[in-house]
Amino acid sequence: MKLSRRSALKLISAGTAMAAGGTTVMAREPRTVSPDAMGMLYDTTRCIGCKACVTACYQANDLEPTRDADGLHQAPTDLDGHTKNIIKLYADGTRTSFFKYQCMHCVDPACVGACMLGSLKKDAVTGIVGYTTDYCVGCRYCQLACPFNVAKFEFDSPVPKIVKCEYCRHRQAEGATPTASGGFSRYPKGMGPACAEVCPRGAVIYGKRTELLAEARQRIAQQPGLYFEDRVYGETEGGGTQVLYLSHVPFQRLGLPRLSGDGIPKTAYQIQEGLYRGMVAPVVLYGALAVAIARNRKTGASEEAQR
Ligand code: SF4
Ligand code: SF4
Ligand code: SF4
């Protein structure tokens, strides 16, 4: 029998109710940044808003941009189930700024903490936060937990997935080790984040987080007064992010939330604690769900192949 997503969500609700009133899970220590963590540095003072990075992201990820009824491409106003990267424009009458928006690849990602089935994972070496559909039940707790409102859902798909930037990890061919020495680009050309590779202004660059941080600090020191704040957004916010920002307008005006330096945001713990209380029932329940969903995906794939 095929298990529908609706049934799966009902089961989750039941499991949550069964779990209420049980024991409380101990909060774990926040994650720290890996010495080989990869990242991106975006500098608003260099971006000209050409959106080459947005087009490259669509192409590299085989995504179809949103189109209107006449089939004309509509520039999205936000990240969505088809869009992993956008450029926004900020204007306040005296200043303008472009702003690149995608997954921040948090050092201690709330989305990973909120996903009970391990569909979102943080790579232990590169720190890239990846997603796999294998056991995803579409509960969207990761969306709820993300402090940057990044994770999106394919509402218009019969088998919806979570959609977010995965640092173009599928482009990184075997042997293209991110720890090899040499400049910011640690993957051969054509293997790194497509958005950074096409940027004509070097407004977004990629590489090891430690080196990007050093580069950002150097820019601040060499160009006094250029940036609104002499600091790098993402160095500490929410426990740190692997996507870093330099800006000539206040970070919060660009939509970057003011976050403390604490690790995994509280929301993820609240979600987890609510769900994991009483442990046994949810574990059995989610185990059963995972098997059912894996089976559904196989059935779906063979039906697709027969079409
Ligand atoms: S490609 Fe570079 S300059 Fe163009 S919009 Fe993207 S980040 Fe800005
Ligand atoms: S920005 Fe959101 S989706 Fe990306 S790693 Fe952080 S919590 Fe997860
Ligand atoms: S790293 Fe890849 S998926 Fe992420 S924003 Fe850049 S092009 Fe898009």
Side-chain angles (χ1 to χ4, degrees), residues 136-268:
C136 178
V137 293
C139 65
R140 296 192 280 128
Y141 287 131
C142 54
Q143 256 195 301
L144 260 179
C146 174
F148 297 98
N149 194 20
V150 158
K152 299 296 173 190
F153 193 60
E154 284 181 323
F155 282 104
D156 55 356
S157 164
V159 192
K161 301 191 295 281
I162 291 296
V163 175
K164 69 165 212 74
C165 159
E166 297 181 61
Y167 203 79
C168 285
R169 63 190 176 117
H170 61 289
R171 284 159 51 91
Q172 291 149 27
E174 216 172 293
T177 160
T179 53
S181 60
F184 288 117
S185 177
R186 283 172 189 275
Y187 299 102
K189 186 82 179 152
M191 302 296 176
C195 54
E197 286 193 351
V198 299
C199 179
R201 298 272 300 160
V204 57
I205 57 175
Y206 69 98
K208 245 182 166 183
R209 185 180 185 267
T210 46
E211 291 177 9
L212 295 173
L213 261 177
E215 167 70 14
R217 290 191 192 115
Q218 196 179 21
R219 289 186 197 178
I220 291 171
Q222 286 175 348
Q223 301 164 95
L226 180 63
Y227 300 107
F228 184 82
E229 285 180 66
D230 287 344
R231 70 184 184 92
V232 187
Y233 187 97
E235 183 169 6
T236 58
E237 280 78 5
T241 58
Q242 292 178 210
V243 175
L244 306 166
Y245 287 88
L246 285 175
S247 174
H248 64 289
V249 299
F251 294 120
Q252 276 69 47
R253 293 285 165 85
L254 299 177
L256 290 167
R258 203 185 293 276
L259 296 172
S260 76
D262 290 344
I264 189 165
K266 216 174 156 189
T267 324

Side-chain angles (χ1 to χ4, degrees), residues 103-106 109-112 129 146-148 150-151 164:
C103 174
M104 303 289 280
H105 295 282
C106 304
C111 59
V112 172
V129 179
C146 174
F148 297 98
V150 158
K164 69 165 212 74

Side-chain angles (χ1 to χ4, degrees), residues 36-54:
D36 288 321
M38 298 297 289
M40 289 194 275
L41 170 64
Y42 173 75
D43 185 333
T44 61
T45 66
R46 298 187 179 203
C47 180
I48 53 172
C50 66
K51 298 190 180 175
C53 55
V54 178

Side-chain angles (χ1 to χ4, degrees), residues 5 9 30 37 42 49 51 73 88 130 262:
R5 190 157 289 221
L9 286 170
Y42 173 75
K51 298 190 180 175
H73 171 215
K88 292 187 175 187
D262 290 344

Side-chain angles (χ1 to χ4, degrees), residues 17-129:
M18 283 160 72
T23 54
T24 304
V25 170
M26 294 295 286
R28 64 162 173 77
E29 284 299 308
R31 283 177 217 255
T32 51
V33 68
S34 147
D36 288 321
M38 298 297 289
M40 289 194 275
L41 170 64
Y42 173 75
D43 185 333
T44 61
T45 66
R46 298 187 179 203
C47 180
I48 53 172
C50 66
K51 298 190 180 175
C53 55
V54 178
T55 305
C57 183
Y58 281 127
Q59 288 173 343
N61 290 282
D62 210 12
L63 290 166
E64 262 294 303
T66 312
R67 295 184 190 279
D68 67 12
D70 298 323
L72 294 173
H73 171 215
Q74 293 296 301
T77 54
D78 208 342
L79 300 176
D80 58 33
H82 303 261
T83 309
K84 297 185 176 189
N85 173 45
I86 54 164
I87 293 288
K88 292 187 175 187
L89 171 66
Y90 168 77
D92 66 5
T94 55
R95 285 169 303 190
T96 58
S97 174
F98 293 104
F99 174 57
K100 185 177 184 298
Y101 189 36
Q102 73 295 293
C103 174
M104 303 289 280
H105 295 282
C106 304
V107 169
D108 197 358
C111 59
V112 172
C115 180
M116 303 141 289
L117 295 167
S119 284
L120 284 148
K121 282 202 179 76
K122 185 168 177 70
D123 185 89
V125 177
T126 64
I128 302 310
V129 179

